[in-house]
Every structure is written in structure tokens, then in C-alpha cells.
């Protein structure tokens, strides 16, 4: 029988792994033992567990299975008189820099003047073994003292939910008896068990023969693990956020696999997948159920647009569009929301300006509107402004940030169908129709498409750590541009990138922002494989399928940022639109 709206598919609690360890080993049988365990839990719970073991005569160290090297430096290392570090890291053949990424953002946390050198230690094979992976840390202090540490990083070999081989962080237990005997074994933690139960439930359900399979598939989780802010930029360690990413993308991948599509195929339409992971409760709990699509519109404060500190309210977007005048264009969403654009006709070469395709990338919405206000004052202005292409996703983003404001919430990335609007077929009445109407009305030669990406590290720790299909976006690397062009338009694309980056280099602080992020990126992810022009990484790609001859895509690390960082983000987006619009008017076009 197919799941029905309102039906609960799974509801279950999981004993907290730290409490299970106490129940099993905090007994007289293990008095005098040394116990080391690696679990997915926060520092407060792990330290409390150590104290409880100590009370019954057992020496215990409970470490984090997630980002173990970073936690070693945060929780166990003495930073006094540190002068230099040499860190050896494992090099899996299929993902040679993965363990460097897991160490992010360690390089940025070091005291000023400390040198850091990485040495990759390759292994001919990464076959299953009884010994966990490890880092080796060599320390030199200004006193001349030298120290050596081994930092264990437990991982397991397994097949994931789509049958692919993975090597992923896992729970681990090491016991040393009073006679010095050592035993080690993998431990299925509460975190891993909860995720596996969710995927077992999704894969065993009897879904309808054709998609969409549901309106909203809701995955509500309480996880008693507090987030930990780090002393660098927007970085924090969040098991809750990582679990949201795992639940969302793994479920999406399951349906792609089920339909015989390539992993990452953005045309998939399962419905809206909504993980809601709250950092509360006393033990992990999950409830998976079928819900109707939400038609509620989260309320956000009305703000002064040029000074916006966070994503703005839909009603304000509508008001600002109305003030621009011009011809109104409309499309609809699966949930019945309106996608609105405005066409302002003039004598200039026409440009389409859009934002909000991926609705958890919110700075482009403000940047697009700010640019439209400026351009509308030019007497020959000729453009279409479509500032919120995915209102269903934007409503979900507003709903999710009320409980987890610092998380990326990629569940809000796509439409309520579950697809990327750019992958929707032509001729339908849904989100992509607004682009088709914009092109039909304007015959624009340039589409400026404002996007963002995570402002802090993006991980999937239960499936190989690095997000599958999004490997190049796992850590920030500054404000990035992508120029897609139809065949025959490469010369114009090169001209446009040159002109736009020249103007962006004049935005106060933007090149310095890029320099800092790129330097840290290269420390943990290797040298940028993209060209850099005037301080800005960019890509130029041919794409015969797009509507306009040229499409300039911005990629600003804006997901999760608020305050002054958000203001900087939408200021950069606005500057890009103005620069690209003006440069396009003067391009030499041979096509």
C-alpha cells in the first residue's frame, strides 16, 4: 500500500551511545581498565561521560568521531609556546585530500606566526582492517621542546543507500585491560543508527508508481548535541546540520537511483523532502511522516533594502517590484505561490536579472532588487527583474531558519516538486516559465543569475564526508563567477568576465575577502583549479541549451550569513549586476 498523507512511516528513539557505554562498561568487571571511545556527540556530554566512568574507577577518554583532528586541537592540545606543526594525514586513493578537508579550518585557528606543514601518507590500498586511520602530529615549541601525537580517525568501509562503496567516519571503542591487553572494534553509534533507520524506512516504503510520490516527506529529528562555534568566520561544528544534509541528499539520491537516473540528476520530482533537525532532547529521536504542502508564508521584518541584514519578507519583495512598474509577468508553483517578474522596456540591449533559484541562497534576492532600483533610473534601461524564482523553497527556508538560523538548509534549495527549476521542461506553467516569459518579452542577450553557496564547511559524514556531486563547494573559496555561453559567444564571454571583475575589484574589501578565503581553501583543498582574474575565480563554459546567448552566474558564500556579512554579500551581488549590465551594452558582438 502506498504511504498516504498524514501517515507516520517511522517513529523511534535511540539510546544515547554515551549512556550505553556507561551501562555496559561502568561496572566492577572493568575497574582498572582504560576505555577510549569515539562517538558523534558534543563536548559537554562526552566530558560528563568521562567523569561518570572515573567515579567507578575506570579511566575513560570519549572523543569525537566527527572531525577528530580539529577536536584534538580544541580539547586536548596545549597551545602554549607553539612554534610549528607538521601533520601527516592519510591519503585514500579515491579521495586524496579528504582527510585534509576533515581538518578544516585548523589552519585558520592557529596562533599568528605558527607554521603548519602537511604531509600526505599514501597507502597502496585502503582495505578494511582492524586498525583505524590516524593523523601523526609533530610539534615544535619555542622552548625547543618537541612532541609527537597520534590522532585516531576511525572510519568504516560500507555500501551506501545506492549501492556505492564508501569510507566514512564511524564510532569506535578501544579497551585496555589491567593486564595491558588491547581490544578494538567498530561501534554503531546512535547517530549512525538513526540515519540508517531513516534510509531503511524510505527504501522499504511502497511508493506510488509515478512521481511526485508525496507532497512533503517530513523527517523530524531531535538530536541532543549542541553546535560549537569556531573562532573563524562563519565556521561551526554542527552534527545537527550535517545530519540534515545527509537525510536530505541521501533521500534525494535514493529516488534518483530508484528511477534509474544518474545521481545528482536535478530533474527528479519526488516531492518536497524536509528534514527538521533540532538540537534538543535527552536522546536522539526521529519521526518520518507524510504531510500536505505548507502554504504558510513565514513573516520576516520589513527592512531598509540597502542595509538589509538578513533575508527579506515576500511582501516587501512584492512591494518593491510594484514600485518598479513595467509589465508584470507571472508563473505559479506547485504549492500555488506566485513567481513574479517585471519587464522594463527600453533602448538598451536587454538583460534578464534573476535570483532565488536555490532559495537558501538569499543574498541574491536583495542584490537583484537593489540593482533593479538603480538601473530603473537610467533612461534607456531595458531589463527583466525576477528576484525570487523559487518562492516555495524560500518559504521553507524561512520556516527552517526559525529553529536553526545558522544552518545551510539545503532542503530549501529546490522546488516543492523536489527538482531544480532549471531542469523543468519547457512549456509548463511552473517556476521555469518565468524565464521563458522573460526571454519572450525581452529577447535578452544576457541573463545575470545570482546564486550563493555555503559560507561554512558543508559535509556528509555518514557517506564519505565530502558532499557527493558538490565536491567543489565543500568549503568557501570567495566570490566566484561562472559564465555560460552558447556556441559562438566565447569572445563576448571573455570580454564580459574581464569587464565585470575589473569593476568588482573596486568594491571595498571584496578582493581582500577573496584572498583570505582562497588562501585557507588552498591549505585544505589544494590549489584552485580555476583561473583567477582581478582577484576573482571564474569559469567559462559552453552551453547550447540555455535560453540566452550569455548567462553570468554569481556564487557568493552567503548561505547562513546575517548582519554585516549579509550586507557585504548583497552589495557584491548588486555590484555584479550593475557591472555586467553596463559592460554588456558595450560588448563587441559578432553573433
Amino acid at each position: 500500500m502506498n504511504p498516504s498523507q498524514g501517515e507516520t512511516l517511522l517513529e523511534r528513539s535511540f539510546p544515547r551511545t554515551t549512556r550505553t557505554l556507561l551501562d555496559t562498561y561502568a561496572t566492577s568487571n572493568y575497574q582498572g581498565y582504560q576505555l577510549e571511545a569515539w562517538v558523534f556527540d558534543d563536548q559537554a556530554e562526552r566530558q560528563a561521560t568521562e567523569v561518570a566512568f572515573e567515579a567507578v574507577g575506570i579511566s575513560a577518554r570519549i572523543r569525537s568521531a566527527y572531525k577528530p583532528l580539529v577536536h584534538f586541537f580544541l580539547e586536548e592540545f596545549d597551545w602554549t609556546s607553539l612554534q610549528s606543526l607538521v601533520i601527516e594525514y592519510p591519503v585514500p586513493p579515491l579521495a586524496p585530500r579528504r582527510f585534509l578537508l576533515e581538518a578544516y579550518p585548523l589552519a585558520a585557528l592557529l596562533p599568528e606566526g605558527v607554521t603548519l606543514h602537511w604531509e600526505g601518507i599514501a597507502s597502496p590500498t585502503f582495505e578494511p582492517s582492524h586498525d583505524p586511520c590516524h593523523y601523526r602530529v609533530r610539534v615544535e615549541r619555542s622552548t625547543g621542546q618537541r612532541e609527537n601525537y597520534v590522532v585516531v580517525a576511525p572510519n568504516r568501509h560500507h555500501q551506501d543507500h545506492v549501492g556505492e562503496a564508501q569510507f566514512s567516519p564511524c564510532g569506535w571503542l578501544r579497551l585496555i585491560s589491567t593486564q595491558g591487553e588491547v581490544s578494538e572494534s567498530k561501534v554503531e553509534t546512535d547517530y549512525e543508527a538513526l540515519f540508517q533507520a531513516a534510509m531503511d524506512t524510505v527504501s522499504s516504503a511502497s511508493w506510488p508508481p509515478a512521481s511526485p510520490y508525496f507532497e512533503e516527506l517530513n523527517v523530524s529529528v531531535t538530536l541532543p548535541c549542541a553546535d560549537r562555534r569556531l573562532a573563524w568566520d562563519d565556521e561551526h561544528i554542527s552534527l545537527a546540520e550535517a545530519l540534515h544534509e545527509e537525510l536530505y541528499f541521501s533521500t534525494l539520491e535514493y529516488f534518483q537511483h530508484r528511477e534509474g537516473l544518474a545521481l545528482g540528476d536535478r530533474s527528479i520530482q519526488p516531492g518536497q523532502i524536509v528534514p527538521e533537525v533540532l538540537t534538543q532532547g535527552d536522546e536522539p529521536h526521529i519521526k518520518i511522516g507524510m504531510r500536505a504542502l505548507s502554504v504558510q508564508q513565514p513573516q520576516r521584518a520589513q527592512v531598509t533594502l540597502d542595509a538589509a541584514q538578513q533575508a527579506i519578507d515576500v511582501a516587501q519583495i512584492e512591494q518593491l517590484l510594484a514600485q518598479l512598474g513595467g509589465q508584470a509577468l507571472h508563473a505559479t508553483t506547485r504549492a500555488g505561490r506566485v513567481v513574479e517578474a517585471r519587464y522594463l522596456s527600453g533602448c538598451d540591449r536587454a538583460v534578464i536579472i534573476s535570483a532565488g533559484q536555490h532559495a537558501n541562497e538569499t543574498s541574491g534576492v536583495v542584490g537583484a532588487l537593489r540593482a533593479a532600483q538603480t538601473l530603473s533610473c537610467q533612461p534607456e534601461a531595458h531589463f527583466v527583474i525576477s528576484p525570487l524564482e523559487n518562492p516555495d523553497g524560500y518559504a521553507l527556508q524561512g520556516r527552517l531558519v526559525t529553529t536553526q538560523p545558522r544552518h545551510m538548509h539545503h532542503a530549501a534549495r529546490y522546488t516543492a516538486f523536489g527538482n531544480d527549476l532549471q531542469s523543468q521542461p519547457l512549456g509548463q506553467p511552473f517556476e521555469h516559465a518565468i524565464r521563458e516569459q522573460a526571454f519572450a518579452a525581452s529577447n535578452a542577450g544576457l541573463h545575470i543569475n545570482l546564486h550563493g553557496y555555503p559560507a561554512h564547511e558543508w559535509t556528509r559524514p555518514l557517506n564519505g564526508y565530502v558532499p557527493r556531486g558538490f565536491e567543489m563547494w565543500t568549503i568557501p573559496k570567495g566570490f566566484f563567477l561562472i559564465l555560460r555561453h552558447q556556441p559562438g559567444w566565447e569572445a563576448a564571454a571573455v570580454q564580459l568576465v574581464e569587464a565585470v571583475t575589473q569593476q568588482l575589484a573596486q568594491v571595498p574589501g571584496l578582493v581582500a575577502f577573496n584572498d583570505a578565503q582562497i588562501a585557507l581553501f588552498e591549505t585544505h583543498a589544494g590549489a584552485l583549479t580555476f583561473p583567477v582574474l582581478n582577484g576573482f575565480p571564474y569559469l567559462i563554459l559552453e552551453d547550447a541549451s540555455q535560453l540566452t546567448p550569455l548567462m553570468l552566474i554569481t556564487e557568493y558564500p552567503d548561505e547562513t550569513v546575517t548582519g554585516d556579512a549579509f550586507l557585504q554579500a548583497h552589495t557584491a551581488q548588486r555590484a555584479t549586476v550593475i557591472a555586467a549590465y553596463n559592460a554588456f551594452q558595450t560588448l563587441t558582438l559578432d553573433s
Side-chain angles (χ1 to χ4, degrees):
M1 180 179 295
N2 296 332
S4 58
Q5 192 167 291
E7 181 180 351
T8 297
L9 304 181
L10 171 70
E11 183 163 14
R12 181 180 166 191
S13 294
F14 297 81
R16 202 165 181 176
T17 302
T18 49
R19 315 293 168 82
T20 301
L21 289 171
L22 285 169
D23 291 343
T24 305
Y25 298 105
T27 69
S28 58
N29 292 336
Y30 292 94
Q31 278 192 334
Y33 274 59
Q34 297 176 50
L35 181 148
E36 294 178 87
W38 287 259
V39 301
F40 295 91
D41 216 322
D42 61 24
Q43 184 179 17
E45 175 65 15
R46 290 184 283 107
Q47 288 183 339
T49 305
E50 293 173 356
V51 170
F53 270 116
E54 188 69 31
V56 295
I58 298 171
S59 174
R61 172 68 76 175
I62 313 299
R63 297 186 171 94
S64 176
Y66 181 58
K67 300 183 73 68
L69 185 69
V70 174
H71 280 95
F72 166 75
F73 279 98
L74 293 175
E75 298 174 3
E76 301 183 51
F77 186 70
D78 180 4
W79 296 83
T80 307
S81 68
L82 180 62
Q83 180 170 297
S84 68
L85 291 171
V86 177
I87 301 177
E88 298 177 3
Y89 63 94
V91 181
L94 297 180
R97 298 190 73 88
R98 198 203 97 183
F99 283 90
L100 260 180
L101 288 170
E102 288 193 48
Y104 178 87
L106 178 61
L109 303 179
L110 298 178
E112 187 175 354
V114 173
T115 61
L116 171 62
H117 179 68
W118 301 97
E119 294 183 357
I121 306 299
S123 172
T125 63
F126 257 73
E127 298 299 325
S129 72
H130 296 293
D131 298 319
C133 294
H134 58 267
Y135 298 86
R136 292 189 182 275
V137 180
R138 304 200 300 271
V139 179
E140 185 171 347
R141 301 189 184 276
S142 58
T143 60
Q145 181 179 349
R146 300 188 178 206
E147 301 157 14
N148 293 282
Y149 301 92
V150 174
V151 179
V152 174
N155 275 253
R156 69 186 182 104
H157 291 266
H158 62 107
Q159 274 202 332
D160 65 17
H161 47 280
V162 293
E164 293 201 349
Q166 297 286 1
F167 188 56
S168 306
C170 67
W172 197 265
L173 176 66
R174 174 186 292 159
L175 283 172
I176 305 175
S177 73
T178 53
Q179 288 77 37
E181 298 167 335
V182 180
S183 63
E184 300 197 53
S185 60
K186 291 192 294 288
V187 172
E188 185 185 50
T189 62
D190 47 7
Y191 192 76
E192 296 165 278
L194 183 150
F195 171 74
Q196 189 59 51
M199 295 314 301
D200 289 345
T201 298
V202 170
S203 61
S204 63
S206 298
W207 300 108
S211 63
Y213 305 115
F214 43 79
E215 293 192 13
E216 177 183 314
L217 179 65
N218 184 269
V219 187
S220 295
V221 176
T222 55
L223 191 71
C225 303
D227 290 359
R228 179 176 195 159
R229 288 301 300 269
L230 300 178
W232 171 253
D233 208 10
D234 194 53
E235 294 300 333
H236 64 266
I237 293 173
S238 176
L239 289 165
E241 182 178 45
L243 188 58
H244 173 106
E245 300 301 311
E246 283 289 19
L247 290 167
Y248 175 69
F249 282 104
S250 297
T251 303
L252 198 61
E253 288 166 347
Y254 165 75
F255 286 111
Q256 289 163 344
H257 184 67
R258 183 178 186 271
E259 293 191 18
L261 299 173
L263 295 181
D265 188 313
R266 299 185 183 187
S267 67
I268 184 76
Q269 297 189 48
Q272 194 164 45
I273 303 164
V274 184
E276 297 185 86
V277 186
L278 305 182
T279 46
Q280 64 185 39
D282 190 55
E283 63 180 6
H285 179 87
I286 186 169
K287 182 177 181 180
I288 302 178
M290 313 288 286
R291 295 186 184 178
L293 282 175
S294 173
V295 295
Q296 298 298 311
Q297 191 65 54
Q299 297 299 303
R300 309 179 199 240
Q302 295 272 323
V303 299
T304 301
L305 189 66
D306 289 358
Q309 304 281 296
Q310 59 190 21
I312 64 174
D313 191 67
V314 168
Q316 183 170 8
I317 296 171
E318 294 169 349
Q319 292 165 7
L320 293 168
L321 282 175
Q323 290 168 10
L324 289 171
Q327 176 187 347
L329 309 175
H330 297 94
T332 57
T333 72
R334 186 188 185 201
R337 294 184 175 89
V338 175
V339 186
E340 184 177 2
R342 291 278 171 153
Y343 173 44
L344 279 70
S345 180
C347 296
D348 282 349
R349 292 172 176 168
V351 172
I352 296 170
I353 305 161
S354 70
Q357 173 182 333
H358 301 149
N360 62 325
E361 303 163 5
T362 56
S363 69
V365 175
V366 179
L369 287 164
R370 289 182 63 191
Q373 289 180 334
T374 301
L375 293 174
S376 67
C377 297
Q378 299 179 190
E380 307 301 331
H382 190 189
F383 64 90
V384 179
I385 170 68
S386 175
L388 181 55
E389 291 189 307
N390 180 7
D392 285 353
Y394 197 71
L396 178 58
Q397 192 269 351
R399 167 181 152 192
L400 294 174
V401 297
T402 60
T403 54
Q404 293 288 23
R406 305 304 308 170
H407 293 182
M408 297 174 284
H409 299 303
H410 279 112
R413 177 179 173 87
Y414 296 146
T415 74
F417 284 109
N419 62 5
D420 191 322
L421 70 87
Q422 191 161 303
S423 297
Q424 291 177 344
L426 299 178
Q428 292 189 346
F430 302 110
E431 291 88 349
H432 192 269
I434 204 70
R435 294 187 180 181
E436 296 165 51
Q437 292 177 40
F439 183 68
S442 67
N443 194 32
L446 170 65
H447 178 187
I448 307 170
N449 189 358
L450 305 182
H451 282 256
Y453 70 101
H456 60 245
E457 187 183 20
W458 177 9
T459 72
R460 288 182 59 185
L462 300 179
N463 285 286
Y465 190 82
V466 179
R468 177 163 41 203
F470 297 94
E471 291 83 357
M472 70 180 288
W473 305 109
T474 184
I475 57 177
K477 55 179 175 292
F479 188 28
F480 190 99
L481 301 176
I482 301 172
L483 201 297
R484 297 183 182 274
H485 63 86
Q486 291 179 353
W489 286 77
E490 183 176 4
V494 171
Q495 290 180 60
L496 189 64
V497 168
E498 173 68 38
V500 170
T501 56
Q502 282 182 357
Q503 291 301 308
L504 288 178
Q506 306 307 310
V507 176
L510 194 53
V511 171
F513 170 80
N514 267 16
D515 288 345
Q517 289 210 340
I518 291 170
L520 186 57
F521 175 92
E522 293 190 325
T523 298
H524 287 278
L528 279 176
T529 56
F530 320 105
V532 177
L533 188 61
N534 298 312
F536 297 88
Y538 71 96
L539 281 176
I540 296 179
L541 304 167
E542 184 174 298
D543 183 355
S545 66
Q546 64 191 32
L547 292 174
T548 55
L550 297 170
M551 180 190 289
L552 177 64
I553 300 169
T554 64
E555 294 286 358
Y556 193 99
D558 70 338
E559 292 175 23
T560 70
V561 300
T562 56
D564 289 344
F566 186 77
L567 173 59
Q568 181 186 32
H570 63 74
T571 296
Q573 302 275 25
R574 173 196 175 276
T576 306
V577 175
I578 300 298
Y581 180 93
N582 290 334
F584 182 62
Q585 306 309 316
T586 63
L587 290 188
T588 302
L589 303 181
D590 298 326
S591 297

